[in-house]
Amino acid sequence: MQPKQLLIALFICIGFWSCKEDDKKTQTEDLQTFVEPEPVKEFGFVLEDYIVKRDTIRRGDSFGEILERNHIGYPRIFNIAEKAKDSFDIRKLQVGKPYTLLCTNDSLQTPECFIYQPNSIDYVVIKFTDSIEAYKGKKPISLVQKEASGIVMNNLSETMESQGLPYQLINDMSDIYAWTIDFFRLQKGDRFKIIYKQRFIEDSIYAGIESIDAAYFQHKDESFYAFNFMVDSTKNIADYFDENTKSLRRTFLKAPVQFSRISSRYNLNRRIAYYGYKLRPHKGTDFAAPIGTPILATANGTVTESTRRGGNGKYVKIKHNGTYSTQYLHMQKQKVKKGEFVKQGDVIGWVGMTGNTGGPHVCYRFWKNGKQVDPFKEKLPAAESIPDSLKTQYIDFIKPLKSHLDQIQFEDQTIEISTEENVLTSKIQ
């Protein structure tokens, strides 16, 4: 072969080799850029492995009827229910709550798993493949920190609602400042700032307020700070304190229902026309509220009575210590039983009209040393302030929160914090 021909052949080989390398590189790049999508998972299951059937509990539905409609016989249903009863009582299915059936991905579509959701976060799984297994779980929750501020033009509720703030946030604010500010007597121009966390299920579905981390309220030109601080991590006890480590609370809430009005006060000299103006003392304070309004324990204590009796209707009585007890009358329904320990703010029942009552309300009775007294005339003890051993830690803890509050401008809209530092990516399992 001539040198010239040899040189041409060499160039052809190099070109062919370069093309093959380019093809390989392109193929490699194509492979690298293709990312297989993550399988869709829910409740810990890969959904594409099943035929998924979703529905809600209808009136008259039962666990057995749902499975029977999906071609599972009653002997099998009975066996499943028996094995699952230690983890979940299948009789407690509530109308309107969602459930999911995971069925075999074939023409038979045989159910293998029943998942019930009593609320947007919790779920119950009952698996019945080769063996029967029942357990409870929670959807992953992310916390997002937000801030809000506003100037009261009429009342706090309207001001916050006009900004689209969650109603729960209004209730929580009233709880924090229950003994500091009378929210029924706010003045035009009063101001507030809040730093709080919202819960989101699987990063997208709003699931309520997790906590108010810090708040500021300016009322009658006086400033009131509030900081949420964990005083006992073992017992998971947190409370709100001001910038000087003083508690914002008293040992008792002012009222057992939120945003209610007093319809009848404690009055030992009360006379009623219906009874011929005879003396009929009223030894309680009536708080008018719609039927179904949650009734709250006004302090920590143990339930000594949860029953129905005569004119009291359905009621709960709580012993708080050797000195104080409280009683809550005319309930629609009680939530607690005798012997249970309840914490301040726990829901113990709902407003109703049982017993002798002319309208929906809760009659709140307050006992001191076994005698009924007017709680609004009692000098009730303040809640404990920060322990001395935690004061230095508390001051360091609130410094960045107070600085953050002070920098928030008073605006009529919610400001979402979007910086990475303020988006909490930790998951609650």
Side-chain angles (χ1 to χ4, degrees), residues 162-173:
S162 68
Q163 298 185 35
L165 295 173
Y167 191 76
Q168 183 189 345
L169 195 62
I170 304 170
N171 286 340
D172 291 349
M173 279 285 285

Side-chain angles (χ1 to χ4, degrees), residues 300-315:
N300 296 355
T302 301
V303 177
T304 56
E305 294 180 63
S306 180
T307 185
R308 178 169 187 158
R309 186 176 301 141
N312 291 347
K314 295 180 180 179
Y315 72 90

